[in-house]
């Protein structure tokens, strides 16, 4: 996701501390206290500009959503979207998702979404893929028993790699869809990348995998 440097981003995030958590490690074990309603927490990793998380928050008001986005100049757009859409069940974290166990307690999350994650096509970068085994270990810890991971991508290689990675980890593949828009799932909330790629006629892959 390309973006211009935004020198005002630091100040903007500080002004919006009620939406974006700048010290997520200190919130460890307390995420549910961070929302006005005690309800299940779903986590999106690589939130981008916030279209998916805001759409989901409106569609599922009985769920609390946390989005992690590592790039400051991108997460500011997500913060702005949360404000524009006036949703109160979204919190954002400006961090790398590599240490999720530092930010969340065991069994704290009900569902994880990986939307159009960076594919890291080179073999030597395999460990950076968000479906690499070390990430799955983290997901398993912070997810509740039988917690699920939903992956959406346009990238066939990442999709195939992830199916194998989920299976090797002993996860159950509950859904594997090779052309999401063909099946017309009315509950599907599109991400920015999903809109862009599907407009070009590219199929969108989706997989729902459950830990056992
Ligand atoms: N999910 C959005 C969508 O579908 O439109 C954005 C997709 S974009 C290709 C991937 C996003 O994930 C980027 O904004 C990137 O900065 C973020 N990202 C990649 N690796 C990350 C990580 N380890 N932790 C947090 N964010 C990450």
């Amino acid at each position: 996701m390309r973006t211009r440097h935004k020198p005002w981003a630091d100040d903007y995030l500080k002004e919006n501390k009620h939406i974006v958590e700048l010290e997520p490690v200190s919130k460890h074990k307390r995420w549910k206290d961070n929302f006005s309603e005690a309800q299940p927490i779903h986590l999106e990793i690589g939130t981008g500009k916030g279209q998916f998380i805001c759409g989901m928050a409106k569609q599922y008001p009985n769920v609390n959503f946390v989005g992690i986005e590592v790039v400051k100049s991108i997460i500011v757009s997500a913060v702005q979207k949360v404000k524009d859409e006036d949703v109160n069940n979204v919190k954002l974290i400006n961090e790398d998702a590599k240490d999720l166990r530092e930010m969340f307690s065991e069994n704290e999350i009900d569902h994880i979404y990986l939307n159009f994650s960076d594919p890291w096509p080179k073999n030597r970068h395999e460990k950076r893929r968000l479906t690499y085994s070390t990430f799955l270990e983290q997901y398993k810890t912070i997810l509740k028993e039988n917690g699920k991971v939903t992956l959406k991508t346009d990238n066939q290689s990442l999709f195939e790699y992830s199916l194998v990675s989920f299976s090797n980890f002993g996860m159950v593949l509950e859904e594997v869809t090779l052309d999401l828009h063909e099946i017309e799932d009315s509950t599907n909330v599109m991400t920015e990348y999903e809109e862009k790629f599907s407009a070009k006629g590219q199929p969108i892959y989706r997989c729902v995998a459950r830990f056992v």
Side-chain angles (χ1 to χ4, degrees):
M1 185 173 277
R2 283 207 200 115
T3 177
R4 246 181 274 136
H5 175 61
K6 294 174 181 152
W8 45 268
D10 272 322
D11 288 341
Y12 183 79
L13 295 182
K14 279 183 201 144
E15 281 161 23
N16 289 287
K17 277 195 285 197
H18 58 295
I19 297 170
V20 63
E21 178 51 60
L22 300 174
E23 294 173 13
V25 173
S26 71
K27 288 285 174 221
H28 190 47
K29 299 186 194 301
R30 289 195 283 121
W31 272 98
K32 63 177 184 302
D33 303 340
N34 227 10
F35 290 93
S36 54
E37 300 291 333
Q39 34 193 33
I41 301 176
H42 291 197
L43 171 67
E44 183 189 18
I45 302 175
T47 295
K49 295 182 180 173
Q51 177 169 311
F52 174 82
I53 204 164
C54 287
M56 290 292 280
K58 284 199 277 188
Q59 190 161 297
Y60 301 102
N62 296 332
V63 174
N64 290 328
F65 290 88
V66 180
I68 301 186
E69 170 54 55
V70 68
V71 178
K72 201 169 279 179
S73 53
I74 295 176
I75 202 172
V76 290
S77 300
V79 173
Q80 188 60 50
K81 193 150 189 68
V82 170
K83 292 170 77 168
D84 291 346
E85 306 272 337
D86 199 22
V87 283
N88 65 2
N89 53 337
V90 175
K91 301 285 175 196
L92 301 170
I93 301 175
N94 181 211
E95 273 291 343
D96 192 312
K98 64 183 168 44
D99 294 317
L100 291 173
R101 281 176 292 216
E102 300 293 316
M103 298 178 228
F104 299 95
S105 308
E106 286 181 24
N107 309 317
E108 191 170 23
I109 304 297
D110 287 77
H111 202 124
I112 290 176
Y113 302 95
L114 306 173
N115 290 321
F116 298 81
S117 307
D118 298 336
W120 296 108
K122 291 183 181 149
N123 283 342
R124 67 189 156 90
H125 290 150
E126 180 190 3
K127 290 181 180 174
R128 298 185 192 178
R129 296 176 197 152
L130 291 179
T131 50
Y132 183 66
S133 57
T134 52
F135 280 101
L136 300 184
E137 278 162 19
Q138 293 197 68
Y139 303 160
K140 186 169 187 180
T141 304
I142 64 169
L143 276 167
K144 293 211 166 85
E145 207 181 328
N146 296 318
K148 295 179 189 182
V149 177
T150 297
L151 167 75
K152 284 201 284 187
T153 182
D154 64 304
N155 188 294
Q156 187 179 347
S157 301
L158 178 69
F159 192 65
E160 289 171 355
Y161 170 86
S162 302
L163 294 181
V164 173
S165 188
F166 291 146
S167 300
N168 286 345
F169 204 84
M171 296 173 78
V172 173
L173 301 180
E174 291 202 333
E175 181 206 298
V176 176
T177 306
L178 301 182
D179 193 346
L180 175 59
H181 296 170
E182 180 91 332
I183 63 168
E184 291 178 12
D185 176 354
S186 62
T187 64
N188 183 48
V189 174
M190 296 247 263
T191 80
E192 289 99 346
Y193 271 61
E194 186 172 353
E195 279 189 351
K196 195 171 81 177
F197 289 123
S198 60
K200 288 184 189 166
Q202 287 178 233
I204 304 300
Y205 305 97
R206 183 172 71 185
C207 167
V208 181
R210 176 171 51 81
F211 287 100
V212 285

